[in-house]
């Protein structure tokens, strides 16, 4: 997908860039508790400043649903952002005269009912704030909103630095990947990731299915999964995915041995057994060591990895073992330059952090919904509008 970057713009002296960013940061009692998303804003603001321009930032916070909800004001984010950016940051509401600072944060875009309706009139008011539009919020790109989609049709539009880097990393992983490509899809439920599975079987060489999803696939193959999380009504869908994979030459990996327990809690009494030997009162909570060894072998023969969803109930020790072992193997292969590894998803990012491999992976996307829709092969409206 071709789009322009800030580097493609000319001199911006005296100009204002209207920049859509992600400021949906975790906040406790009006204090920002994690700077990750604020740090992601810096490269774009710096690039605009280097060309002589100023940045007016558009962002949403929480879900005020088109109404002014004072607790969801973006104003408390200003001091934390100023600190991270090392610049003076002002604050304004639509209609105010903009303060004369390098950077201005505009009030929550979702205070306007037109934002989530992709309303052109609201987009015009956003566009009137400046001269060019920069979208740097990949995490919001799967939504066609006034500040992510409509506005891009009203003025010259480019991708921001963080969004550009993210799209480039994702393109390398599934757009034109070096083969063999391995996808790991895990997590709780098949039903939330059906579109991902359908898209991936056509694109990847190996599909590793883990977590609660694997139970549904075991069940579909006629294996009794006891008291495990399992979506029995998706049996035919699971079989169809296996058929599609076969037809496309994609090898599907489902655990052959599993870790079972009778309680869903940390340090519950547990046992490793073949996936075919689960008792009626047992739950599968992780993949077993034999499966993990096989999966590490698959990674060792691969060049590209795309990962969404843990292999087990990783929040509960020791049911994090398979996820941690595979994550460490992927991190090591990436460090050695043998593997390009991309991962995303709320719990997946937490699991990879828990395994201590966040810095080893080639790219980790913190965009939950947008990352999944990208894995589903869907066009993201916020990206398409930049083209
Ligand atoms: P992501 O947020 O990365 O997309 P998901 O939300 O789909 O991932 O899945 C994560 C959840 O799946 C975790 O809360 C984990 O405990 C759960 N899970 C994984 N394996 C199992 C299992 N075998 N049984 C029950 N829950 C599981
Ligand atoms: Mg999740």
């Amino acid at each position: 997908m071709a789009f322009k970057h800030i580097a493609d713009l000319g001199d911006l002296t005296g100009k204002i860039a209207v920049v859509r960013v992600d400021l949906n940061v975790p906040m406790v009692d009006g204090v920002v508790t994690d700077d990750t998303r604020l740090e992601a804003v810096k490269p774009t603001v710096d690039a605009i400043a280097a060309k002589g321009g100023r940045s007016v930032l558009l962002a949403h916070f929480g879900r005020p649903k088109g109404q002014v909800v004072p607790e969801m004001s973006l104003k408390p984010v200003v001091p934390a952002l100023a600190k991270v950016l090392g610049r003076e940051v002002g604050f304004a509401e639509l209609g105010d005269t903009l303060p004369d600072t390098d950077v201005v944060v505009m009030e929550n875009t979702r205070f306007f009912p037109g934002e989530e309706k992709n309303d052109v009139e609201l987009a015009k008011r956003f566009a009137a704030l400046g001269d060019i539009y920069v979208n740097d919020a990949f995490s919001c790109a799967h939504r066609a909103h006034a500040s992510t989609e409509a506005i891009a049709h009203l003025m010259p539009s480019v991708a921001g630095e963080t969004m550009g880097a993210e799209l480039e990393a994702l393109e390398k992983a599934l757009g034109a990947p070096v083969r063999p490509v391995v996808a790991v899809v895990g997590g709780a439920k098949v039903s939330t990731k059906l579109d991902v599975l359908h898209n991936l079987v056509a694109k990847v060489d190996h599909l590793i299915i883990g977590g609660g999803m694997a139970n549904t696939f075991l069940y579909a193959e006629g294996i009794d999964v006891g008291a495990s999380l399992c979506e029995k009504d998706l049996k035919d869908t699971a079989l169809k995915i296996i058929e599609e994979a076969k037809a496309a030459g994609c090898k599907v990996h489902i655990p052959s041995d599993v870790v079972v327990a009778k309680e869903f809690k940390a340090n519950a009494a547990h046992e490793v057994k073949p996936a075919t030997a689960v008792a009626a009162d047992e739950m599968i909570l992780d993949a077993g060591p034999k499966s993990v060894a096989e999966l590490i072998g698959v990674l060792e023969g691969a060049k590209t990895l795309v990962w969404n969803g843990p292999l087990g109930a990783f929040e509960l020790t020791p049911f994090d073992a398979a996820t941690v072992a595979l994550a460490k193997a992927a991190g090591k292969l990436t460090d050695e330059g043998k593997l390009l590894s991309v991962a995303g998803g709320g719990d997946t990012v937490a699991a990879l952090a828990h395994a201590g491999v966040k810095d080893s992976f080639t790219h980790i996307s913190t965009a939950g919904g947008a990352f999944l829709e990208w894995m589903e092969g869907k066009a993201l409206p916020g990206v398409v509008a930049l083209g």
Side-chain angles (χ1 to χ4, degrees):
M1 162 108 233
F3 45 78
K4 292 204 165 82
H5 298 267
I6 293 169
D8 300 319
L9 298 170
D11 183 55
L12 295 177
T13 304
K15 299 218 162 126
I16 292 182
V18 181
V19 191
R20 180 55 159 103
V21 292
D22 184 352
L23 297 181
N24 205 18
V25 289
M27 219 186 306
V28 176
D29 298 330
V31 177
V32 177
T33 54
D34 185 90
D35 282 346
T36 311
R37 285 186 161 155
L38 302 184
E39 279 154 14
V41 174
K42 194 173 184 335
T44 289
V45 165
D46 287 348
I48 290 163
K51 284 183 174 279
R54 293 165 59 204
S55 295
V56 171
L57 309 182
L58 294 176
H60 74 276
F61 188 73
R63 296 172 189 269
K65 304 214 166 111
Q67 287 177 359
V68 176
V69 180
E71 303 81 71
M72 294 184 190
S73 170
L74 273 170
K75 206 167 184 183
V77 175
V78 169
L81 183 64
K83 202 169 157 203
V84 168
L85 295 180
R87 295 175 186 277
E88 215 188 323
V89 179
F91 180 79
E93 291 179 22
L94 262 191
D96 291 353
T97 308
L98 294 181
D100 192 24
T101 45
D102 275 1
V103 180
V104 179
V105 173
M106 299 303 297
E107 183 56 290
N108 196 339
T109 55
R110 290 192 185 167
F111 281 181
F112 298 93
E115 167 69 338
E116 294 184 64
K117 293 190 184 120
N118 203 19
D119 177 50
V120 178
E121 293 311 313
L122 178 62
K124 282 182 187 164
R125 296 182 68 196
F126 290 149
L129 292 166
D131 307 286
I132 54 154
Y133 173 67
V134 180
N135 191 344
D136 207 24
F138 177 74
S139 59
C140 309
H142 59 313
R143 304 269 181 253
H145 289 173
S147 71
T148 63
E149 208 276 339
I151 187 173
H153 300 291
L154 301 175
M155 59 208 302
S157 300
V158 303
E161 300 295 286
T162 299
M163 174 134 152
E166 176 119 33
L167 290 171
E168 195 179 308
L170 298 186
E171 172 67 17
K172 274 189 196 149
L174 275 192
V178 184
R179 294 189 178 277
V181 186
V182 179
V184 177
V185 184
K189 289 182 172 177
V190 175
S191 51
T192 57
K193 294 182 185 173
L194 278 177
D195 290 340
V196 174
L197 294 170
H198 283 302
N199 184 43
L200 288 179
V201 290
K203 287 197 174 163
V204 306
D205 304 291
H206 294 269
L207 176 62
I208 293 173
I209 297 177
M213 310 186 63
N215 303 340
T216 299
F217 279 83
L218 289 168
Y219 174 79
E221 294 193 331
I223 293 168
D224 186 353
V225 293
S228 304
L229 177 68
C230 176
E231 293 168 286
K232 296 188 171 162
D233 55 321
L234 288 182
K235 179 181 170 181
D236 292 338
T237 309
L239 291 176
K240 193 163 165 266
I241 288 166
I242 292 172
E243 278 308 309
E244 283 173 16
K246 263 194 200 132
C250 164
K251 184 155 173 37
V252 177
H253 302 263
I254 299 164
S256 56
D257 64 336
V258 293
V259 184
V260 298
K262 289 180 183 169
E263 289 173 290
F264 189 81
K265 66 171 199 194
N267 304 309
H270 56 278
E271 207 180 322
V272 173
K273 36 170 78 179
T276 48
V278 178
D281 61 347
E282 290 173 338
M283 284 177 284
I284 301 172
L285 294 183
D286 201 11
K290 214 177 101 203
S291 302
V292 172
E294 181 207 314
L295 298 182
I296 289 173
V298 172
L299 283 193
E300 282 167 351
K303 292 276 191 286
T304 304
L305 166 69
V306 183
W307 187 340
N308 169 262
L311 296 184
F314 77 99
E315 302 95 334
L316 313 172
T317 38
F319 310 109
D320 57 342
T323 304
V324 168
L326 197 69
K328 285 196 163 143
K332 183 164 175 278
L333 290 165
T334 309
D335 284 338
E336 290 166 358
K338 295 174 183 159
L339 186 71
L340 181 135
S341 52
V342 168
D347 291 294
T348 308
V349 174
L352 296 182
H354 169 68
V357 298
K358 257 181 97 171
D359 294 334
S360 297
F361 268 59
T362 312
H363 182 76
I364 293 186
S365 175
T366 50
F371 183 82
L372 269 185
E373 290 201 19
W374 166 78
M375 272 183 101
E376 287 166 6
K378 290 188 182 149
L380 307 177
V383 178
V384 174
L386 297 177

